[in-house]
Amino acid sequence: MFALAPGPSPQLQAAALPGSAKPAGRAVARRLVIATALGLASALLPSIALGQSSYYRHTFFDNGPREASYYYSSGKAVAPSTLETQEKRLPLDATTFFTAPNSVKVAWESKTGGTWAADIGVLVFRNRDYHFDGDTLVFWVYSPEGIRAAAMPNLRLLDMARQFSKPMKVGDFSGDIAAKKWTRVLIPFSKIETGSIHPFDPRQLRTMILAQAAADGAAHTLFVDEIRIENARAGNFGEVRSATLAAPGNLKLRAYERHIDLSWDYAANGSGNTPTRFVIYRSFDNKDFAPIGIQTAGIHRFTDFLGKVGQTAYYKVAASDAEYRESAATAAASAATHAMSDDELLTMLEEACFRYYWEGGDPYSGMALENIPGDDRIIATGASGFGIMALVVGTDRGFITREQGTERLNKITKFLEKAPRYHGVWSHFMDGKEVKTLPVFDMVDSGGDLVESAFLMQGLLAARQYFNRDTPQEKELTQRITRLWEGMEWDWYRKSADSDAIYWHWTPEWSWFINHRLTGFNETMIVYLLAIASPTHPVGPELYYTGWAGQSEAAQLYRKGWSGLAEGSKYANGTTYFATKLDVGVGSGGPLFFAHYSYMGFDPHSLTDLYTNYFENNRNLALINRAYSTENPKKSKTYSAEAWGLTASDGPNGYMPEAPDADHDLGTLAPTGALASFPYTPEASMAAFKHFYRDLGDRLWGIYGPLDAYNLDDDWWSPIYMGLNQAPITVMIENQRTGLVWRLFNSNPEIQTMLKKLNATTENLRAHQSQTK
């Protein structure tokens, strides 16, 4: 079969391919896909997603989200010429496409005295390597009426350095475009000439610009799809060969309230031909199957959001290679969506987010990838700690067996023993295969990252308490975690013996160059708690009050630098926002991850200091956040009483720590904000979940649960999942339901000892304050 989708006519032909079937703060200061590959579409456990980097080193555009227009595009016409646009962007067409579910539509009239330009930009996501592999620009075009070569548009290309090519006539490469037939256009790089004053680099392609050529005064429509950079393979493009791909196997379906998950196995047949993608077909009558989406080769899961209860659907899956030749399809399988209780919906959400860490983990280390899609090399230390807690939940919930959970955690801890450590502390990012530090942010971020390592150890200590049975595998795991824990030199990160605080980074090359003092209130409380709890390299409990809750000038300036406000600059706040008093926090509370990251393992109920109880304070942070979204002072289309939870995410303009105040409200919402707040606001979080799933699920729900973020004002939907944002959903929901991870982490004897020390320090300070009044 061939993955051509139905166009306006009943059938489309496969162009020149005989044999084709007819279609069927991170402390703010430091943390600075589309639906087809991720959002609509993870591997059967314990397979691990791979190949994202490779796929996107060739793919410029495959599909857009299920929206009216493509976010990474623009269009403009000068009268009397015209160009069809949607809010100044190019339309996406869901009825005519080469690979499902859509293509970019370019519809124009070229007239004398006018002009037009249609820009198609590359998909942007965190850690993408914008250096394409290949020597030929390849894309597919389709016209309902046919277009003569002389009437085809001009083409210019723009690279990442904003250098551009000379105009080329698309018709010189495409020839005449036959009506209702997909045609492949190939433009060798050797034919592309620089038009700017500096060399143009086609391997760093940023924008493909179609523009007016012949002013023939006629209306034309061209659908553009599957824009890729490929190698010419010694002139073999278009060579007709039969597909030798093995067929996928073991297609399984799981139906939920509004969607159906597909999963399958894939084993190569030794032919040397490997899949580039999988093609998913759906039918509602088990007769007429049509393609509904594609999935990248490294992921063996797809999510089809049907949007209603009681819908039966039938599916087949085929493998497709670089030439779009398909394997035989799986046998058809069917499932029907069904009503679900709130409890069942929460289990569904927990399991979907858990899959990011189980199915999407790094194959060499078992650790969590920074984001998917992303750079396959980059594993994230803090996100891995969160993922470890999600693995504990997944084991307890039966998503995986206890033996599988133990095996994965032994793999992770064996890697951590080998990985570079800087006075016992790991770097923020590492390469799982090469077992080395990766300075992703900048050259000075090349050593120990105490905050990320604290997040990691928070997860490991919770796992140590869970996997405590008298088996060789679990005993090995607990012993290894203890050794890793005891090897962390928390006292080193004071920078000096008389320092009043703990510092974030140290590297052998740059020493204390970053000089980032850890000052609350933000997400880093867990560093002070673990440093006090350390059985081998502790700091004194007094640092909690001099460093984390410190009153020094440096501490006050740090807090003001984040919020721009005096409220909370002395740690205590006391201001009432939206009828809720905030005891501790900067400004109106900051992004919601402040209430999540340090409290996924550590139970905030258990800590009351001079200023507040941290469960109550975190609940108030969430209540203020929701009230801000409900009032929605900027009148964003995104926010409402059910759409709330301003926190950090990769938005349309990169990473932003959004918060409930005028300066930090940019209209982008990350579902993890409300969903990881379940223990604090169970009813409001449940309402948000139902909104994200039932109302926005066709665009927001995918293989790992809700996508990272969205912005309705910009019609932007994140093309990625992030390791920092999926696990908090699973873990905090479980803390609301059973208290599992809180109970495990706090049961560590070192944590109990730490709480006693901190309580004693608090009581001494309280007595001293009472005497001096």
Side-chain angles (χ1 to χ4, degrees):
M1 293 187 299
F2 183 68
L4 281 178
S9 58
Q11 295 178 346
L12 297 180
Q13 299 174 357
L17 292 175
S20 301
K22 295 177 181 178
R26 269 262 349 120
V28 180
R30 291 295 302 155
R31 283 216 204 275
L32 296 178
V33 21
I34 275 204
T36 53
L38 253 289
L40 296 180
S42 152
L44 290 175
L45 55 87
S47 299
I48 298 179
L50 276 177
Q52 298 293 307
S53 293
S54 176
Y55 181 82
Y56 287 103
R57 278 196 291 268
H58 294 284
T59 299
F60 184 90
F61 171 87
D62 54 9
N63 294 288
R66 296 186 185 276
E67 283 289 295
S69 62
Y70 183 48
Y71 179 81
Y72 301 100
S73 73
S74 64
K76 182 178 180 179
V78 176
S81 296
T82 64
L83 176 70
E84 181 181 341
T85 59
Q86 295 275 350
E87 300 293 329
K88 299 183 180 181
R89 297 187 185 127
L90 299 179
L92 286 166
D93 194 278
T95 60
T96 306
F97 44 77
F98 189 70
T99 59
N102 51 34
S103 65
V104 175
K105 181 182 179 183
V106 184
W108 75 90
E109 291 184 23
S110 296
K111 296 183 179 180
T112 302
T115 192
W116 60 269
D119 299 3
I120 304 174
V122 68
L123 174 65
V124 176
F125 55 80
R126 171 187 288 254
N127 295 319
R128 179 168 186 176
D129 180 6
Y130 294 103
H131 190 283
F132 291 101
D133 290 344
D135 56 21
T136 304
L137 174 64
V138 184
F139 55 96
W140 293 81
V141 295
Y142 173 94
S143 173
E145 307 299 331
I147 305 176
R148 296 290 301 272
M152 289 289 282
N154 284 336
L155 173 68
R156 283 184 184 268
L157 304 173
L158 186 72
D159 69 15
M160 289 292 165
R162 303 196 65 83
Q163 306 306 311
F164 51 86
S165 70
K166 289 183 178 179
M168 298 168 281
K169 295 180 178 179
V170 175
D172 289 348
F173 301 94
S174 68
D176 294 343
I177 304 299
K180 299 178 182 178
K181 178 180 179 180
W182 282 97
T183 300
R184 180 160 54 178
V185 182
L186 296 86
I187 303 179
F189 287 174
S190 60
K191 300 292 185 180
I192 301 173
E193 299 181 42
T194 295
S196 55
I197 61 173
H198 299 294
F200 166 77
D201 185 355
R203 291 175 179 81
Q204 290 196 308
L205 184 61
R206 173 177 176 165
T207 308
M208 177 173 150
I209 306 165
L210 297 171
Q212 177 166 316
D216 61 2
H220 298 290
T221 299
L222 195 68
F223 298 93
V224 183
D225 206 354
E226 281 295 311
I227 305 171
R228 288 174 61 85
I229 287 79
E230 298 281 10
N231 289 303
R233 300 182 187 88
N236 289 336
F237 267 133
E239 178 182 310
V240 177
R241 293 182 287 121
S242 61
T244 57
L245 288 174
N250 194 29
L251 176 62
K252 294 181 179 179
L253 309 181
R254 284 183 65 184
Y256 299 92
E257 186 187 88
R258 307 292 172 100
H259 77 280
I260 296 175
D261 274 341
L262 293 74
S263 61
W264 58 89
D265 296 335
Y266 190 80
N269 59 10
S271 66
N273 198 16
T274 58
T276 297
R277 65 192 67 79
F278 294 100
V279 184
I280 291 80
Y281 291 86
R282 181 184 66 201
S283 169
F284 291 116
D285 61 7
N286 202 22
K287 295 178 182 178
D288 298 323
F289 283 84
I292 58 168
I294 60 174
Q295 181 57 281
T296 54
I299 296 177
H300 302 164
R301 186 181 293 276
F302 186 88
T303 291
D304 184 25
F305 194 88
L306 297 171
K308 61 182 179 180
V309 176
Q311 177 70 66
T312 299
Y314 303 81
Y315 300 90
K316 297 179 180 180
V317 178
S320 169
D321 67 11
E323 291 290 303
Y324 300 93
R325 297 179 298 257
E326 287 190 15
S327 71
T330 61
S334 67
T337 56
H338 55 86
M340 297 175 68
S341 67
D342 285 1
D343 198 56
E344 290 171 327
L345 286 170
L346 289 178
T347 300
M348 175 190 80
L349 175 58
E350 285 189 61
E351 184 173 9
C353 296
F354 153 84
R355 289 188 194 127
Y356 182 98
Y357 307 89
W358 178 247
E359 298 178 352
D362 172 60
Y364 305 103
S365 65
M367 300 269 280
L369 296 175
E370 167 72 349
N371 53 279
I372 302 175
D375 188 320
D376 294 338
R377 297 172 302 163
I378 301 176
I379 58 175
T381 300
S384 295
F386 297 171
I388 288 167
M389 288 182 273
L391 289 170
V392 170
V393 173
T395 302
D396 199 64
R397 283 275 166 191
F399 305 153
I400 56 174
T401 67
R402 191 176 183 97
E403 291 73 23
Q404 288 174 312
T406 305
E407 181 181 11
R408 175 63 66 85
L409 286 166
N410 269 315
K411 182 174 189 173
I412 289 172
T413 52
K414 287 177 182 177
F415 168 80
L416 291 171
E417 286 184 324
K418 297 183 295 181
R421 299 178 75 179
Y422 306 89
H423 290 275
V425 172
W426 295 273
S427 55
H428 190 153
F429 300 110
M430 293 179 276
D431 185 316
K433 183 179 181 180
E434 300 293 332
V435 196
K436 65 181 182 182
T437 291
L438 293 177
V440 173
F441 284 152
D442 49 51
M443 63 183 178
V444 298
D445 190 26
S446 60
D449 187 309
L450 192 62
V451 174
E452 299 296 320
S453 297
F455 294 155
L456 174 65
M457 188 51 62
Q458 183 179 203
L460 288 171
L461 289 176
R464 186 179 70 169
Q465 297 303 101
Y466 185 84
F467 293 96
N468 59 0
R469 291 183 181 173
D470 190 19
T471 68
Q473 294 78 17
E474 294 196 21
K475 289 172 69 175
E476 176 189 356
L477 175 61
T478 57
Q479 291 168 4
R480 187 177 290 112
I481 291 172
T482 297
R483 289 197 299 270
L484 294 171
W485 165 227
E486 292 176 348
M488 296 184 71
E489 299 180 27
W490 304 88
D491 52 349
W492 171 266
Y493 283 80
R494 285 185 67 174
K495 194 165 73 169
S496 65
D498 58 352
S499 169
D500 67 350
I502 300 174
Y503 287 76
W504 196 315
H505 309 87
W506 177 84
T507 83
E509 181 181 5
W510 295 96
S511 185
W512 304 102
F513 189 90
I514 295 178
N515 196 38
H516 191 137
R517 184 186 192 275
L518 290 177
T519 304
F521 184 80
N522 49 44
E523 80 278 26
T524 67
M525 177 191 275
I526 193 66
V527 175
Y528 281 90
L529 301 182
L530 290 175
I532 297 166
S534 171
T536 51
H537 299 278
V539 303
E542 67 277 3
L543 258 69
Y544 178 90
Y545 285 104
T546 62
W548 168 256
Q551 303 298 304
S552 67
E553 181 181 4
Q556 293 184 47
L557 289 173
Y558 181 94
R559 298 181 188 112
K560 286 182 180 178
W562 151 243
S563 67
L565 301 171
E567 292 88 345
S569 62
K570 294 185 178 181
Y571 191 72
N573 189 313
T575 307
T576 296
Y577 304 92
F578 305 101
T580 298
K581 181 184 176 184
L582 185 64
D583 290 339
V584 164
V586 290
S588 56
L592 267 178
F593 72 87
F594 285 6
H596 300 153
Y597 290 179
S598 281
Y599 311 101
M600 291 171 63
F602 178 69
D603 183 354
H605 290 92
S606 64
L607 179 57
T608 300
D609 63 10
L610 290 175
Y611 305 100
T612 193
N613 170 269
Y614 284 89
F615 179 84
E616 298 297 328
N617 197 72
N618 288 348
R619 181 170 61 187
N620 289 342
L621 280 169
L623 290 172
I624 291 167
N625 199 296
R626 180 175 181 267
Y628 177 90
S629 299
T630 302
E631 184 171 292
N632 195 9
K634 291 188 175 182
K635 307 306 176 187
S636 168
K637 296 177 184 177
T638 308
Y639 304 135
S640 70
E642 289 75 38
W644 61 278
L646 282 74
T647 191
S649 67
D650 263 9
N653 300 305
Y655 177 87
M656 295 292 174
E658 299 214 18
D661 61 68
D663 290 339
H664 298 93
D665 168 11
L666 302 177
T668 299
L669 197 61
T672 192
L675 301 183
S677 296
F678 253 96
Y680 311 127
T681 54
E683 294 84 8
S685 293
M686 192 70 194
F689 171 39
K690 290 178 178 178
H691 171 65
F692 297 148
Y693 180 64
R694 292 173 176 171
D695 301 333
L696 304 177
D698 59 330
R699 293 155 294 175
L700 191 60
W701 187 268
I703 57 171
Y704 304 135
L707 288 168
D708 190 58
Y710 68 98
N711 184 314
L712 294 183
D713 298 312
D714 288 338
D715 287 330
W716 175 87
W717 302 82
S718 176
I720 66 168
Y721 289 98
M722 281 190 65
L724 283 172
N725 283 349
Q726 298 309 104
I729 298 173
T730 294
V731 174
M732 294 299 268
I733 288 175
E734 191 61 34
N735 280 332
Q736 162 62 19
R737 297 174 84 182
T738 67
L740 174 69
V741 187
W742 282 345
R743 185 171 64 252
L744 289 168
F745 181 83
N746 273 43
S747 69
N748 281 280
E750 300 95 325
I751 301 305
Q752 290 300 307
T753 299
M754 175 272 295
L755 286 170
K756 291 175 182 177
K757 290 180 180 179
L758 195 50
N759 286 338
T761 301
T762 298
E763 290 306 312
N764 288 337
L765 287 171
R766 186 173 284 124
H768 177 72
Q769 290 177 352
S770 177
Q771 292 172 2
T772 56
K773 285 183 179 179

